Amino acid sequence: MEVVVRVGMSLAYAGGFWETVEDLVAYERAGLQMVFVPEAYSFDAVSQLGFIAARTEHLEIASGILQIYSRTPTLTAMTAAGLDHVSNGRFTLGLGASGPQVVEGFHGVAYHQPLVRTREVVEVCRKVWRREVLRHEGRHFTIPLPEGEGTGLGKPLRLINHPVRDRIPIMLAALGPRNVAQAAEIADGWEPLFYYPERADDVWGDPLREGAGRRDPDLGPLDVVVGAHLAIGDDVEDLKAQARAQVALYVGGMGARGRNFYNTLAQRYGFEREAALVQDHYLAGRKDDAAAAVPDELVDLTSLIGPEGFVRDRLAALRASGATTLNLTPVGRTLGDRLRDVETLRTLLA
């Protein structure tokens, strides 16, 4: 199995951007190697990634994630090439389908055939970065527009600029079996959420192996990007509250009843009754009750919060399951605590 080789950190999408960016230099000294910028329905990730690229020299930067419905595939490719340019080759393009509530409710775009659409976006991006004259005929996108659509004046073009890299890494966020199989087939990296290493193979093993069987060897090994809240110490039990609240938000409120991918994941982990209870509370507006209903096991074993020995054991479990990159959310009480936790984690990994 591969070992965890990179340590990254995710920015919060609800605030704190300026403070975190000011601290990134210190995090880098502590051993941080990568920063992920989410988007959701907050400020766009692209402007923030460009700002971070200008303020750092060595940190890798990644969108975590840009969703596939709000930008054309060509614009996504241009954006990725631009961010890779201003960061001098430090960018990873994280993509995902998001969900119907955001895509239809905020962007006004039908949430339709995410698997096919994702594959087409990836194909177009890679053609653009190779500076091919762009031609694409797919179920969702035909480039240039065919005869009889538009003005008829469209013609095949290639990207004017020469990208820093003609193969920018693509990371796909995926949870469902078919989505995960596709990520293992076509992507450089795969980002699940609420990754429980001891149950990962039961939930995702078959799709990962299926996709790997169709994978182009030129892609190399799949980078498995695992998120986890981080706090190391003997008195950090109360710091699990943030991780618990996030699980409650996603399992309970990120999607409608019967169409919540995270709730389905919790059920596949074996928490069917608890997932239903969390959702009942959350959709009724009882957020505290929803958080209280999240199983301790799910919080404990998808996080890195606890004494150093506990964290060491969790890292071993992550290694054994094939994780290769950590996307951390440090939750220590002070900046000094959070920096020290990143340093300790790097020591444990070494």
Side-chain angles (χ1 to χ4, degrees), residues 9 21-22 33 39 59 62 83 106 125 128 131 133-134 140 151 199 206 225 248-249 257 263 280 286 288 318:
M9 180 179 75
V21 171
E22 289 297 322
Q33 297 161 287
E39 193 165 68
L59 273 180
L83 286 169
F106 196 65
C125 282
V128 170
R131 297 192 69 246
V133 175
L134 185 57
H140 291 279
T151 65
R199 299 191 182 181
D206 288 342
V225 182
L249 167 63
R257 197 180 300 276
N263 191 280
D280 287 344
R286 299 186 295 269
D288 290 342
L318 288 167

Side-chain angles (χ1 to χ4, degrees), residues 10 19 27 40 67 101 116 135 144 165 177 211 216 238 252 266 293 297 300 306 315 320:
S10 186
E19 295 84 353
Y27 274 112
Q67 48 98 344
Q101 285 188 319
V116 178
R135 293 183 176 90
R165 295 180 289 176
D216 183 346
D238 61 306
E297 179 184 348
D300 292 345
L315 291 175

Side-chain angles (χ1 to χ4, degrees), residues 19 21 54 89 112 114 139 188 226 237 261 272 278 288 350:
E19 295 84 353
V21 171
H112 184 53
R139 193 178 305 176
D188 300 276
V226 175
E237 186 69 22
F261 310 127
E272 294 90 347
V278 170
D288 290 342

Side-chain angles (χ1 to χ4, degrees), residues 114-126:
L115 274 168
V116 178
R117 194 179 186 107
T118 297
R119 185 177 292 269
E120 290 191 42
V121 171
V122 171
E123 289 175 357
V124 169
C125 282
R126 288 176 173 158

Side-chain angles (χ1 to χ4, degrees), residues 51-324:
F51 186 84
I52 292 171
R55 296 290 293 268
T56 58
E57 294 183 3
H58 305 293
L59 273 180
E60 297 180 55
I61 60 174
S63 55
I65 57 168
L66 303 184
Q67 48 98 344
I68 59 172
Y69 288 91
S70 57
R71 298 171 175 88
T72 67
T74 314
L75 177 59
T76 299
M78 294 165 62
T79 299
L83 286 169
D84 208 45
H85 173 66
V86 299
S87 67
N88 196 26
R90 291 183 281 141
F91 179 63
T92 292
L93 175 61
L95 294 172
S98 186
Q101 285 188 319
V102 173
V103 172
E104 297 181 356
F106 196 65
H107 295 287
V109 178
Y111 192 86
H112 184 53
Q113 295 184 323
L115 274 168
V116 178
R117 194 179 186 107
T118 297
R119 185 177 292 269
E120 290 191 42
V121 171
V122 171
E123 289 175 357
V124 169
C125 282
R126 288 176 173 158
K127 289 178 181 178
V128 170
W129 299 333
R130 291 192 297 263
R131 297 192 69 246
E132 296 179 13
V133 175
L134 185 57
R135 293 183 176 90
H136 176 84
E137 293 185 11
R139 193 178 305 176
H140 291 279
F141 304 101
T142 302
I143 306 169
L145 278 178
E147 188 174 343
E149 293 189 30
T151 65
L153 299 175
K155 63 179 183 179
L157 299 169
R158 68 160 52 94
L159 187 69
I160 293 173
N161 313 79
H162 289 262
V164 174
R165 295 180 289 176
D166 62 6
R167 194 58 174 267
I168 297 168
I170 294 176
M171 173 184 70
L172 294 181
L175 293 178
R178 291 190 302 158
N179 305 66
V180 171
Q182 179 167 270
E185 177 190 353
I186 68 173
D188 300 276
W190 165 55
E191 184 181 28
L193 195 65
F194 305 131
Y195 185 85
Y196 188 154
E198 287 86 352
R199 299 191 182 181
D201 189 69
D202 293 337
V203 173
W204 291 306
D206 288 342
L208 287 170
R209 286 184 282 271
E210 175 191 336
R214 299 190 297 266
R215 187 175 180 83
D216 183 346
D218 289 343
L219 283 172
L222 183 70
D223 182 21
V224 180
V225 182
V226 175
H229 288 73
L230 173 69
I232 303 175
D234 296 325
D235 60 345
V236 296
E237 186 69 22
D238 61 306
L239 298 179
K240 293 179 181 177
Q242 185 173 330
R244 182 178 296 278
Q246 186 188 41
V247 175
L249 167 63
Y250 279 78
V251 172
M254 283 290 192
R257 197 180 300 276
R259 194 70 184 275
N260 180 321
F261 310 127
Y262 313 101
N263 191 280
T264 300
L265 174 61
Q267 294 179 46
R268 294 175 70 199
Y269 277 153
F271 303 111
E272 294 90 347
R273 183 185 64 81
E274 294 91 338
L277 182 59
V278 170
Q279 188 173 61
D280 287 344
H281 283 313
Y282 206 97
L283 295 181
R286 299 186 295 269
K287 295 182 181 179
D288 290 342
D289 291 336
V294 174
D296 291 343
E297 179 184 348
L298 186 57
V299 175
D300 292 345
L301 300 187
T302 60
S303 301
L304 294 169
I305 301 177
E308 187 173 310
F310 170 82
V311 173
R312 182 186 295 110
D313 291 343
R314 299 314 300 150
L315 291 175
L318 288 167
R319 286 191 183 99
S321 73
T324 51

